[in-house]
Amino acid sequence: MRTAARQPLFYAAITLLVLFTTLPVLYAVITIFKRESELYRFGSNPFLYETSPTLDHLIYLFTDTAFPTFAMNSLIIGLLVVAITVALAVPAAYALARLTGHWGERSGMAIFLVYLIPPTLLFIPLFRIVVALGLANTIWSLVLVLPTITIPFCTWLLLGFFRSVPPQLDEAALLDGCTRLQAFWKVVLPQALPGIGACIVFAFSLSLSNYIYAVTFVSESAARNISAGVPTELIRGDVYFWPSLMAATTVVAIPLGIAYGLLFDYLVRGFQSAGAGGE
């Protein structure tokens, strides 16, 4: 009887959770195609079209603003940040996973604590470094700085995956004539591919969403990414271009949401493995 009574409450909670997570996205998508006369009319239903939909706001975003430039800059920055993160985090995580003793057990937590340092404490000294290197107002400033956030987290996440691979597999590969690099490439690395995929999504999404570094290091519109450029272009004084803002948000958010959904199980497994490995 208790189980039967709990089922309606369970499904009601699930329904509320689904509505809570999907209604903002649904509202954003509907707003993109609403006419301004309907959008700013008092009492109009935000989820229904009272007049015919329009593509004007979407066209305005891509033709009358620098959004394509922001998107291209974001793509370049994201790909480079991902490449740097994977190139440094993967060997670091493997080396720390095979490090035994007290230092090996505490290394994962120490690296994760580096990730927890707030960017608001770091952007001033990092800005001085960027200026000293002559990278201010260029996309290369973000390519240099953003890996300081992604590498610690991805190293910590991959630690769990590499620690789940028994060291005996490495030793067996070495006995079969493989070098240490070949053993890592052919035996260990395939076991961590789901974690690497999760790290790629995390690093790319963070490069898109980081705002404080993008605003601090880049002030020229031609070098800005989406997170800094869209508010500048579509918020002018007290005028908000809401439909175009919603369009910019949706164009970026939906693909990332799908990617996170596909890799959600790997992310959870990485958190569990990393937590278990750090105990």
Side-chain angles (χ1 to χ4, degrees):
M1 293 296 295
R2 290 184 178 180
T3 303
R6 289 176 180 175
Q7 282 187 349
L9 295 176
F10 173 77
Y11 289 116
I14 292 296
T15 302
L16 290 175
L17 179 62
V18 171
L19 290 175
F20 179 79
T21 55
T22 58
L23 281 180
V25 179
L26 179 62
Y27 173 73
V29 173
I30 294 174
T31 303
I32 295 172
F33 306 103
K34 279 201 170 188
R35 299 183 181 274
E36 291 189 0
S37 58
E38 179 183 353
L39 184 65
Y40 296 112
R41 184 188 307 149
F42 180 77
S44 62
N45 192 318
F47 295 100
L48 295 177
Y49 292 106
E50 299 176 1
T51 58
S52 58
T54 179
L55 294 174
D56 291 346
H57 307 299
L58 198 61
I59 295 173
Y60 175 83
L61 176 68
F62 284 95
T63 59
D64 294 347
T65 70
F67 181 79
T69 300
F70 301 151
M72 181 58 65
N73 291 339
S74 298
L75 179 62
I76 296 172
I77 294 169
L79 293 177
L80 291 175
V81 169
V82 166
I84 294 171
T85 301
V86 172
L88 296 179
V90 170
Y94 175 69
L96 291 171
R98 292 297 183 258
L99 183 63
T100 58
H102 176 76
W103 289 105
E105 294 175 358
R106 305 303 178 191
S107 58
M109 186 55 64
I111 290 175
F112 186 68
L113 290 176
V114 174
Y115 166 75
L116 295 178
I117 299 176
T120 51
L121 298 178
L122 298 175
F123 78 92
I124 294 179
L126 287 174
F127 179 73
R128 292 181 64 89
I129 295 174
V130 167
V131 172
L133 294 175
L135 299 178
N137 290 325
T138 66
I139 63 174
W140 306 110
S141 61
L142 299 178
V143 173
L144 174 68
V145 170
L146 290 177
T148 62
I149 304 176
T150 58
I151 290 174
F153 178 83
C154 291
T155 301
W156 174 79
L157 182 65
L158 290 172
L159 267 172
F161 285 92
F162 285 125
R163 283 176 175 168
S164 66
V165 180
Q168 290 79 6
L169 293 180
D170 303 44
E171 298 170 359
L174 293 175
L175 290 175
D176 288 340
C178 293
T179 64
R180 173 66 66 177
L181 181 60
Q182 289 174 333
F184 167 74
W185 183 263
K186 296 180 179 180
V187 178
V188 181
L189 189 62
Q191 307 296 322
L193 287 180
I196 295 174
C199 289
I200 290 174
V201 174
F202 168 79
F204 190 81
S205 61
L206 187 138
S207 70
L208 289 177
S209 62
N210 186 276
Y211 178 76
I212 186 169
Y213 289 162
V215 171
T216 303
F217 302 149
V218 182
S219 58
E220 294 183 2
S221 180
R224 279 181 166 164
N225 63 354
I226 287 176
S227 62
V230 168
T232 304
E233 285 280 330
L234 299 176
I235 301 176
R236 302 174 185 175
D238 59 349
V239 178
Y240 291 74
F241 294 79
W242 286 116
S244 297
L245 280 169
M246 296 295 185
T249 302
T250 305
V251 167
V252 176
I254 289 182
L256 284 178
I258 294 173
Y260 266 117
L262 295 175
L263 295 171
F264 179 76
D265 292 339
Y266 300 135
L267 280 169
V268 172
R269 195 173 75 185
F271 290 139
Q272 292 174 341
S273 300
E279 294 178 354

